[in-house]
Amino acid sequence: QVQLVESGGGLVQTGDSLRLSCAASGRTFSRYAMGWFRQGAGKEREFVAAISRSGGSTYYADSVKGRFTISRDNAKNTVYLQMNSLKPEDTAVYYCAAGPLLSIGPTYDYWGQGTQVTVSS
């Protein structure tokens, strides 16, 4: 029902900024809360940020609070993750997810294929 495609990943240095995008298919994008998760090499997938359907509520993991900003443009069926002051520990594959309600756990119904973010020290 929902197809998600992430983009914007790449190789950057410590302290740099990067903006990830997640484009969603369908006519009901505004009905889904959206989340970002990441999985580093040899590590479990972890929550990064989430945003409600209207964009009125956001939630961040402590590790990225103050550095990352999640936003959405329902007219473009796109959710963004602005990442500032990147650190090597931010290196991971970043996944976009969609679900009926905002959640900090991996309980979303739809997932993208992921985009690699690598931060060199």
Side-chain angles (χ1 to χ4, degrees), residues 98-111:
L101 294 171
L102 185 153
S103 174
I104 64 172
T107 57
Y108 292 83
D109 298 319
Y110 306 98
W111 297 82

Side-chain angles (χ1 to χ4, degrees), residues 5-9 19-23 36 78-81 96 115:
V5 180
E6 302 95 335
S7 63
R19 189 175 80 158
L20 305 183
S21 297
C22 175
W36 285 98
T78 303
V79 63
Y80 305 95
L81 184 67
C96 177
T115 185

Side-chain angles (χ1 to χ4, degrees), residues 32-56:
Y32 293 94
M34 303 295 295
W36 285 98
F37 294 78
R38 67 187 183 187
Q39 185 168 20
K43 299 181 179 180
E44 295 183 351
R45 184 173 57 183
E46 65 176 348
F47 169 78
V48 176
I51 189 167
S52 62
R53 291 179 292 176
S54 67

Side-chain angles (χ1 to χ4, degrees), residues 1-5 22-29 32 76-78:
Q1 183 177 341
V2 179
Q3 299 285 337
L4 304 174
V5 180
C22 175
S25 66
R27 302 188 300 270
T28 59
F29 176 73
Y32 293 94
K76 296 182 178 180
N77 282 14
T78 303

